[in-house]
């Protein structure tokens, strides 16, 4: 019987394999002890001869020979030769076991496919199953020495009940020089055809399935025959055997302990017994014995396949399945969990620890994600961002993010611009032109900071409108916010035209960057009599704030080329609104001015082109 020890190593424990070292049946000691004794005996004889029977000059010659054998014995690639050979043999050994014909699938198909509870149906099923068992017996008798010893002649096969005398006559009447294990399989197919004609096999699909399972069974029998005929090449087996035996023959001389008084390197100690050489022999020779035992698992070694047990088991099970169990069904009844939507079998006290283990839900089940990263983003925002990054520059979004997060001069000027716009809006909404309130120190800004012409790319622009129904309005030198414009542009058909227009304005702003006016900030009301009370006093932030500098005047006046309005335009009619889309800007006009408009107003905006001209009118 094959040595089974899996139950003894079911759980990993401290020195779990140490208990297996004391087993004798199937152990390496039982297989190798004779070779170890022979090697140690020869080593001892050579050692005694060297120490007590050789002359001095003979000892010197033997010592040179021992050193030579020890140096060149390492040239034999023992690990490579043995490792590859044993791997090949182990794979072959397992494949042979998987090729053993088992009747389980065939008997299930035969029991369900061949109908008939009468004696004729029972006879057909038992006979067909006996033919399958006879085929496996014939092939195992051809490859296994244990089975051949059990059934040495065909008379023993007939006597065992696998074959009738009439069947033996037919079997022996077929003259063939080859192995005739396949004849019972042909008898099986012929009998299946008879059962199909008689209607006991209901349809062709069942017959096809039955013959497919028979062919699988017959294929396993054929594989066993071929494994027995085609062995591992004899050359390889000879190379491995010569390598192992040649290595240890060299070790018999090369591993001898030499006289320490001679001062040979590595021979400073004399232990008499070569412990590590014996261990090396034990491992390498044991490795060779493993291959020798597994190369033919159909012998009578302790770990060879139990072929006789397989024959008994397969024959008994197959006959029971097709005869006694045909049509045998237990009474149908409700199971104990019939009304339980969550059935759970009970646990014993020894297995209660399983309940404490949580059920596996997946490797990402316990992964934590910050809450701020769990919110869904609107699909239109994602699509617009992707479209903008693809149409312009894929790195522009990253660059804008870095510029907005870092403290830069553009950010400072953007803040100053917003504060100036707020202050101007507050003044225009006041009931009277009172300029007593001055800008704070923060609103004055840094005198060294100037406003570039393209500052409006990252800020929100404002527009000043007044009086009449102006057809064109002009911002105070700031472009639209790119991100705000991108969100408002929904028409994809006009996207290219708007992009070209934006690029044109950007190029124009870059060309006029050198002549752009500086940022204007509100200052204290001047006491100079030359400044009109209805004018707004501003000062550029790039000029030094001294008492000698002249104030800059922002004056609101009517166009001289058009007749004046019947109702004048006051500061209350001025309003500022954010630019969202230039084509949809509507001026904030009072109802009276809308009813009595007779001309177009203009806004006087200062331009710092030189000290000679401090005012210039822009439509």
């Amino acid at each position: 019987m094959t040595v089974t020890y899996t139950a003894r190593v079911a759980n990993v424990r401290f020195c779990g394999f140490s208990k297996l070292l004391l087993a004798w049946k199937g152990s390496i000691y039982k297989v190798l002890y004779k070779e170890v004794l022979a090697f140690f005996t020869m080593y001892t004889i050579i050692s005694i001869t060297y120490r007590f029977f050789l002359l001095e000059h003979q000892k010197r010659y033997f010592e040179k020979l021992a050193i030579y054998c020890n140096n060149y014995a390492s040239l034999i690639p023992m690990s490579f030769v043995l490792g590859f050979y044993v791997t090949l043999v182990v794979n072959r050994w397992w494949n042979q076991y998987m090729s053993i014909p088992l009747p389980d699938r065939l008997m299930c198909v035969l029991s369900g496919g061949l109908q008939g509870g009468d004696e004729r149906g029972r006879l057909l099923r038992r006979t067909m199953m006996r033919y399958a068992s006879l085929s496996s017996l014939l092939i195992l008798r051809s490859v296994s020495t244990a089975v051949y010893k059990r059934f040495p002649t065909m008379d023993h096969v007939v006597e065992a009940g696998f074959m009738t005398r009439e069947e033996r006559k037919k079997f022996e009447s077929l003259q063939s020089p080859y192995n005739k294990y396949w004849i019972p399989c042909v008898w099986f197919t012929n009998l299946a055809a008879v059962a199909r004609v008689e209607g006991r096999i209901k349809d062709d699909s069942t017959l096809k399935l039955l013959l497919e399972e028979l062919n699988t069974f017959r294929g396993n029998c054929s594989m066993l025959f071929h494994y027995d005929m085609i062995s591992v090449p004899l050359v390889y087996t000879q190379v491995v055997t010569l390598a192992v035996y040649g290595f240890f023959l060299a070790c018999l001389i090369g591993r001898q302990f030499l006289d320490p008084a001679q001062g040979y390197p590595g021979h400073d100690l004399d232990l008499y017994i070569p412990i590590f050489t014996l261990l090396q022999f034990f491992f390498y020779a044991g490795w060779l014995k493993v291959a020798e035992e597994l190369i033919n698992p159909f012998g009578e070694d302790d770990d060879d396949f139990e072929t006789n047990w397989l024959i008994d088991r397969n024959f008994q099970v197959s006959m029971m399945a097709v005869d006694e169990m045909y049509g045998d069904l237990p009474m149908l009844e409700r199971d104990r969990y019939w009304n339980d939507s969550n059935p759970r079998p009970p646990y014993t006290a020894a297995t209660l620890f399983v309940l404490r283990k949580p059920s596996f839900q997946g490797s990402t089940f316990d992964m934590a994600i910050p809450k701020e990263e769990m919110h869904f983003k609107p699909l239109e925002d994602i699509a617009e961002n992707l479209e903008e990054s693809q149409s312009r520059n894929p790195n522009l979004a990253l660059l804008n993010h870095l510029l907005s997060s870092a403290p830069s001069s553009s950010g400072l000027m953007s803040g100053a611009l917003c504060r100036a716009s707020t202050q101007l809006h507050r003044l225009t909404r006041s009931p009277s032109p009172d300029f007593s309130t001055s800008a704070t120190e923060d609103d004055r800004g840094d005198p060294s900071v100037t406003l570039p012409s393209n500052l409006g790319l990252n800020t929100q622009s404002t527009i000043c409108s007044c009086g009449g129904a102006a057809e064109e309005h002009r911002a105070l030198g700031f472009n639209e916010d790119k991100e705000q414009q991108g969100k408002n542009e929904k028409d994809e058909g006009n996207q290219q035209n708007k992009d070209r227009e934006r690029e044109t304005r950007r190029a124009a702003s870059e060309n006029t960057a050198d002549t752009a006016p500086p940022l204007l900030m509100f200052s204290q009301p001047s006491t100079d009599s030359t400044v009109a009370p209805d004018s707004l006093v501003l000062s550029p932030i790039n000029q030094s704030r001294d008492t000698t500098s002249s104030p800059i005047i922002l004056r609101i006046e009517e166009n001289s080329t058009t007749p004046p309005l019947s109702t004048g335009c006051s500061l209350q009619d001025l309003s500022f609104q954010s630019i969202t889309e230039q084509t949809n800007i509507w001026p904030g006009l009072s109802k009276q001015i809308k009813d009595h408009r007779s001309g177009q107003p203009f806004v006087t905006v200062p331009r710092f082109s030189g000290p000679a001209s401090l005012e210039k009118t822009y439509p």
Side-chain angles (χ1 to χ4, degrees):
M1 192 66 175
T2 303
V3 179
T4 302
Y5 59 89
T6 52
R8 302 173 63 180
V9 293
N11 299 322
V12 179
R13 295 186 178 89
F14 176 72
C15 295
F17 282 175
S18 60
K19 298 179 180 179
L20 302 178
L21 298 178
L22 301 178
W24 175 255
K25 185 179 181 180
S27 65
I28 189 64
Y29 318 119
K30 181 179 180 180
V31 175
L32 198 62
Y33 76 95
K34 296 179 180 180
E35 284 81 357
V36 173
L37 290 178
F39 177 79
F40 184 71
T41 301
M42 289 187 290
Y43 182 90
T44 304
I45 293 173
I46 295 174
S47 178
I48 293 174
T49 303
Y50 162 69
R51 295 173 185 275
F52 301 105
F53 296 100
L54 294 181
L55 301 177
E56 290 298 326
H57 68 279
Q58 293 175 340
K59 288 183 179 181
R60 303 291 85 80
Y61 183 80
F62 179 82
E63 291 167 356
K64 292 179 182 180
L65 180 63
I67 295 173
Y68 176 81
C69 292
N70 188 36
N71 291 335
Y72 286 94
S74 59
L75 297 178
I76 302 176
M78 293 290 297
S79 299
F80 173 76
V81 173
L82 272 175
F84 188 77
Y85 184 75
V86 172
T87 302
L88 176 65
V89 170
V90 169
N91 291 333
R92 175 186 170 89
W93 165 76
W94 183 249
N95 290 333
Q96 289 183 77
Y97 179 77
M98 297 301 295
S99 298
I100 294 177
L102 299 176
D104 298 67
R105 296 177 58 180
L106 182 61
M107 68 185 186
C108 291
V109 175
L110 185 61
S111 178
L114 201 154
Q115 305 296 323
D118 54 349
E119 185 177 357
R120 174 67 177 174
R122 180 185 178 190
L123 180 62
L124 288 174
R125 288 190 298 272
R126 289 184 64 91
T127 303
M128 294 171 68
M129 202 68 248
R130 182 169 56 83
Y131 287 160
S133 299
L134 176 60
S135 180
S136 64
L137 173 63
L138 293 178
I139 193 63
L140 288 176
R141 181 174 174 269
S142 302
V143 302
S144 175
T145 57
V147 177
Y148 187 82
K149 289 181 178 180
R150 182 179 179 183
F151 304 100
T153 62
M154 294 302 296
D155 293 333
H156 293 82
V157 176
V158 173
E159 187 68 22
F162 287 93
M163 182 185 294
T164 63
R165 298 187 181 276
E166 200 62 35
E167 293 169 352
R168 180 188 175 185
K169 293 179 181 180
K170 282 187 171 294
F171 184 83
E172 292 179 348
S173 64
L174 296 173
Q175 301 297 325
S176 176
Y178 307 107
N179 195 315
K180 296 186 289 187
Y181 68 91
W182 48 268
I183 291 179
C185 293
V186 177
W187 292 344
F188 184 99
T189 57
N190 295 335
L191 200 56
V194 171
R196 177 71 182 97
V197 171
E198 294 179 0
R200 297 184 179 273
I201 297 179
K202 297 300 183 181
D203 48 31
D204 295 335
S205 298
T206 305
L207 178 62
K208 178 177 178 293
L209 179 61
L210 183 62
L211 295 182
E212 285 178 353
E213 292 299 333
L214 176 66
N215 284 330
T216 302
F217 185 86
R218 186 212 57 79
N220 289 335
C221 296
S222 178
M223 286 302 298
L224 286 185
F225 179 76
H226 288 291
Y227 271 119
D228 184 65
M229 181 177 64
I230 308 298
S231 303
V232 176
L234 182 61
V235 177
Y236 198 4
T237 304
Q238 290 175 346
V239 167
V240 174
T241 305
L242 290 176
V244 174
Y245 290 162
F247 176 79
F248 287 107
L249 285 177
C251 289
L252 288 176
I253 300 176
R255 300 296 177 86
Q256 293 287 337
F257 289 99
L258 304 180
D259 187 4
Q262 301 300 321
Y264 296 112
H267 293 275
D268 301 332
L269 189 63
D270 190 2
L271 295 179
Y272 299 99
I273 299 175
I275 299 176
F276 290 99
T277 301
L278 291 176
L279 288 176
Q280 194 174 20
F281 178 83
F282 191 81
F283 297 147
Y284 284 152
W287 213 353
L288 182 63
K289 285 294 181 180
V290 169
E292 183 180 342
E293 186 170 347
L294 298 182
I295 197 170
N296 183 14
F298 295 101
E300 298 179 85
D301 297 326
D302 291 337
D303 279 318
D304 284 342
F305 299 151
E306 295 291 339
T307 50
N308 285 318
W309 175 85
L310 286 173
I311 291 173
D312 296 339
R313 180 262 173 194
N314 293 340
F315 187 71
Q316 190 268 341
V317 169
S318 60
M319 286 300 180
M320 182 182 294
V322 299
D323 187 12
E324 295 180 9
M325 294 191 64
Y326 174 76
D328 184 15
L329 287 174
M331 183 180 62
L332 297 179
E333 59 182 12
R334 296 180 179 181
D335 58 87
R336 61 180 302 178
Y337 305 104
W338 180 265
N339 295 322
D340 192 356
S341 61
N342 186 21
R344 194 171 189 178
Y347 289 85
T348 61
T351 58
L352 286 178
F353 69 94
V354 179
L355 294 175
R356 301 186 183 96
K357 295 182 179 180
S359 177
F360 180 74
Q361 302 292 335
S363 57
T364 61
F365 184 74
D366 296 330
M367 189 174 67
I369 302 176
K371 291 185 177 180
E372 57 272 10
E373 297 181 5
M374 294 183 182
H375 301 291
F376 286 108
K377 294 295 182 182
L379 295 179
E380 55 271 12
D381 295 346
I382 299 175
E384 290 174 0
N385 293 335
L386 291 176
E387 182 180 357
E388 181 178 357
S389 62
Q390 292 175 359
S391 61
R392 292 175 178 85
N393 189 356
N395 297 325
L396 183 59
L398 178 60
L399 180 60
N400 290 334
H401 176 72
L402 294 176
L403 292 177
S404 61
S405 61
S408 61
S409 60
S410 300
L412 296 175
M413 290 184 286
S414 175
L417 176 63
C418 294
R419 289 192 294 271
S421 301
T422 305
Q423 186 69 12
L424 183 59
H425 180 69
R426 187 186 301 117
L427 291 174
T428 56
R429 287 298 181 181
S430 61
S432 62
D434 186 8
F435 302 101
S436 60
T437 304
S438 61
T440 60
E441 188 65 27
D442 294 336
D443 294 333
R444 294 169 186 172
D446 189 0
S448 62
V449 179
T450 59
L451 178 64
S453 61
N454 59 350
L455 177 62
L457 295 176
N458 294 326
T459 58
Q460 184 177 0
S461 304
T462 57
I463 186 170
C464 178
S465 61
C466 61
E471 296 178 357
E472 295 179 1
H473 297 274
R474 199 170 185 87
L476 297 177
F478 304 105
N479 295 325
E480 300 173 351
D481 187 2
K482 285 187 177 181
E483 183 180 359
Q484 187 67 25
Q485 181 181 1
K487 291 183 180 180
N488 295 329
E489 292 175 347
K490 301 298 184 179
D491 190 4
E492 296 180 357
N494 298 328
Q495 182 65 29
Q496 297 180 355
N497 296 331
K498 294 181 180 180
D499 289 341
R500 285 195 294 269
E501 182 181 350
R502 191 182 299 107
E503 295 296 334
T504 303
R505 291 198 301 271
R506 184 185 304 166
S509 62
E510 291 178 356
N511 294 332
T512 59
D514 297 336
T515 61
L519 181 64
L520 303 181
M521 302 298 296
F522 290 102
S523 63
Q524 294 289 345
S526 176
T527 58
D528 191 357
S529 60
T530 60
V531 179
D534 291 338
S535 302
L536 299 180
V537 181
L538 302 102
S539 60
I541 64 174
N542 59 348
Q543 295 180 357
S544 60
R545 301 187 57 83
D546 53 6
T547 57
T548 60
S549 61
S550 300
I552 307 303
I553 301 172
L554 174 63
R555 182 176 296 147
I556 301 174
E557 60 183 14
E558 298 292 339
N559 189 1
S560 60
T561 60
T562 59
L565 296 172
S566 60
T567 302
C569 178
S570 63
L571 292 177
Q572 289 84 346
D573 296 323
L574 294 174
S575 63
F576 290 82
Q577 57 186 5
S578 301
I579 296 178
T580 57
E581 191 171 352
Q582 289 185 347
T583 58
N584 297 325
I585 296 175
W586 295 94
L589 301 177
S590 63
K591 185 177 182 305
Q592 295 178 355
I593 296 178
K594 290 181 180 179
D595 296 335
H596 300 282
R597 56 190 175 184
S598 60
Q600 258 187 336
F602 291 85
V603 178
T604 300
V605 181
R607 179 178 179 84
F608 304 99
S609 59
S613 177
L614 298 178
E615 294 183 359
K616 191 172 182 179
T617 301
Y618 290 91

